[in-house]
Every structure is written in C-alpha cells, then in structure tokens.
Amino acid sequence: MPELPEVETVRRGLEPVMAGEVIARADVRRAGLRWPFPAHMAERLTGVRVERLRRRSKYILADLDSGETLLVHLGMSGRMLISGVKLGAFHHERAAPQKHDHVVFDMANGARVAFNDARRFGAMDLVATAEAENHKFLRGLGPEPLGNTFHEDYLAGALAGRNTPIKAALLDQRIVAGLGNIYVCEVLHRAGISPKRKAGRIAEARLRALVPIIREVLGEAIESGGSSLRDYRRADGELGYFQHAFRAYGREGEPCQTPGCTGVIRRISQGGRSSFYCPQCQR
Ligand SMILES: [Zn+2]
C-alpha cells in the first residue's frame, strides 16, 4: 500500500505533465472505485486547467480553475500511467487503454495520464477548493509530518500521558497525518524506541527526538522515490510502486543494522499489524 513518500513521489511525477495544464478530455470508464465517483465527473474535469497539484497525507489534490479540487487516493494498488509525452530519454506514445485503467486524462499538451487500479480500493472525489480541508477524507487529520505545525512541542504535548503503545500513537492519523505501518517501524528502529512502549512513558527528550527522525526517514524515502522516478520515467512512465531499502520492516530474523548492535529483528503483531523491531537496541 503506498505510504506518504510514495504518494509524494507520484505527485512529483505528475507535476510536469499536469500542473498548469488543461485537461482536454476526461474519460471516466466506470461508475466508481471504492466509492461511487461524483456526479458528472467527466464533464466537471473536461476543459479545466489544473492550477496546482498538492498533497495532504496520502491524498493527491489537484486544484482546478473551475474552483473545484480533485482528490485522489491510490488505495492498495492504484498507480498512474503516463504516456504520450517525452519522458527522460524515451518518447512514449499515448498508450491504448489497459485493463483496469478506470479514469483517463488526455491533457491538451499531448500527455495521457491513466489511473489504473486492479483492486479498486482507490478513490476520487470532487469538492469545492475552499471546502477541501473539510472533505470527509481530510477532516480531522493531524498535522503533516513534514510541515511547520508538526514540531517537538506539538508531539510532546500530543503524546503526554497517553497509555497506548507508541506504535499505535504514531499510526493515529489525528496525531500526525500520513504515517503508515512501514515508516512507523523504520522511525522507531532509528529512534531506538520499542514499538510496545507506552507513549506517555517515554522520556520527553526521546519523544522530542522523534520529530527530526520522522522527517529524516520520510525525507530519505522521498529522495529515493525521486531516483526511482527517474528510472521509472526511463522505463515506462509508470508511477505508483517503489521499493525502498528498509532497515527493520520486513527483516524478521535478520541481524539488526544499527551500528554496534548484535540483535536480531523480531516480528510481533500489534493491533492486527506486524511490527518489526530489534529487542536489543529498541527500548
Ligand atoms: Zn538493534
């Protein structure tokens, strides 16, 4: 499932073909994905200019010159296929629609962007731009982990006295938006904090140190997505799946990569999700 860094990578990949560009034709090929599409979606997307592409949590938001914003969630398997435009060294012809291309945007600049989603857990909706933050997808979300309102004082205050494990607290989208299972495992491993430790029982200095670590882990993944993006562009214009090298996630039974640590990564289940951690250096 794409997490924040992957969604940011997709947003960055779409920017050169969509931002500032007019959608000449939107082809909506089914009635909906996870939820029904909004009424007259094709008409509302045709002939409008995409003023900017932004991201909130794991959603991509396209602000349109019609005063509406298109919200896109990639779901479990959603990806964006770009064709019909010069990408890196290769020119990709506008691709014929593929199986599971559910919404296709033909841009006035010649690019074709197809939203392909085999499992159909993705979502799209249209909302007045002024109301976007109040949309049911976005309402109640905590601060962006890479934004200015997420800082040491905020996190220490949000976690003070909490009796829940730190893993669950960081996954709580009301505390911080967009962190998922994989990156929370990575963050806690780098911070040397056990995923089982109660959030309210962590010394304040260690809690505060989580903020720069969260930014660092996400920043590195976005950076690495940027390099994958260049590869993907060279390959086939597909955006959506990037494999990063994780230090803890998915490494059950492997030696811990923390310098000087002789521990072995263990997997436990917390709230129905797998937590990967090193019992030796994560306390
Ligand atoms: Zn370790």
Side-chain angles (χ1 to χ4, degrees):
M1 184 167 195
E3 289 204 22
L4 187 154
E6 290 76 36
V7 175
E8 177 61 20
T9 299
V10 171
R11 188 197 69 78
R12 291 183 184 189
L14 291 175
E15 208 157 37
V17 290
M18 293 191 89
E21 304 290 340
V22 170
I23 301 171
R25 177 167 172 266
D27 185 10
V28 179
R29 304 165 61 88
R30 55 182 306 120
L33 293 167
R34 183 166 189 174
W35 294 289
F37 289 137
H40 311 293
M41 186 164 91
E43 291 87 336
R44 288 156 76 183
L45 291 172
T46 293
V48 301
R49 181 182 304 275
V50 178
E51 294 195 313
R52 77 186 77 77
L53 280 174
R54 50 196 176 102
R55 181 189 54 74
R56 175 77 169 109
S57 181
K58 297 175 207 170
Y59 294 87
I60 295 171
L61 281 69
D63 294 332
L64 311 169
D65 69 354
S66 58
E68 292 195 299
T69 293
L70 173 68
L71 292 96
V72 179
H73 192 269
L74 298 172
M76 306 285 284
S77 60
R79 51 207 182 120
M80 294 288 186
L81 307 174
I82 300 177
S83 61
V85 72
K86 207 164 187 291
L87 294 165
F90 291 80
H91 181 82
H92 301 275
E93 296 296 320
R94 266 192 189 196
Q98 295 185 22
K99 197 176 180 193
H100 310 304
D101 278 357
H102 303 308
V103 179
V104 177
F105 301 99
D106 280 329
M107 307 303 295
N109 61 12
R112 171 168 287 171
V113 177
F115 182 63
N116 183 289
D117 184 6
R119 296 182 64 184
R120 302 206 301 261
F121 278 104
M124 281 194 189
D125 204 359
L126 278 163
V127 60
T129 301
E131 293 297 316
E133 286 288 318
N134 297 322
H135 188 275
K136 63 173 188 244
F137 293 164
L138 307 182
R139 199 191 309 142
L141 286 177
E144 283 292 314
L146 299 173
N148 293 333
T149 56
F150 183 71
H151 49 65
E152 285 84 347
D153 289 345
Y154 166 79
L155 189 66
L159 298 182
R162 286 206 182 236
N163 216 18
T164 49
I166 184 67
K167 169 91 187 292
L170 292 179
L171 284 175
D172 184 340
Q173 302 297 299
R174 294 165 297 183
I175 293 177
V176 54
L179 281 186
N181 197 42
I182 293 174
Y183 289 100
V184 169
C185 288
E186 293 298 296
V187 162
L188 292 175
H189 181 253
R190 199 169 297 192
I193 297 176
S194 165
K196 296 186 286 189
R197 183 166 286 277
K198 299 269 194 289
R201 302 285 301 272
I202 299 172
E204 192 177 330
R206 300 179 79 206
L207 269 190
R208 297 176 76 89
L210 275 171
V211 171
I213 291 171
I214 288 169
R215 292 179 186 271
E216 184 180 86
V217 167
L218 294 177
E220 285 173 13
I222 290 170
E223 190 69 18
S224 131
S227 5
S228 312
L229 190 59
R230 288 184 286 276
D231 297 342
Y232 273 79
R233 280 188 189 183
R234 277 194 292 273
D236 57 4
E238 172 182 328
L239 300 172
Y241 291 105
F242 306 100
Q243 197 56 59
H244 302 299
F246 301 115
R247 293 187 196 170
Y249 186 83
R251 294 196 181 272
E252 182 182 15
E254 294 182 29
C256 176
Q257 294 183 26
T258 301
C261 181
T262 55
V264 170
I265 301 294
R266 181 184 292 174
R267 180 169 69 90
I268 57 169
S269 179
Q270 285 184 291
R273 327 268 313 259
S274 287
S275 291
F276 295 87
Y277 77 109
C278 171
Q280 193 162 315
C281 66
Q282 290 181 249
R283 297 300 178 131

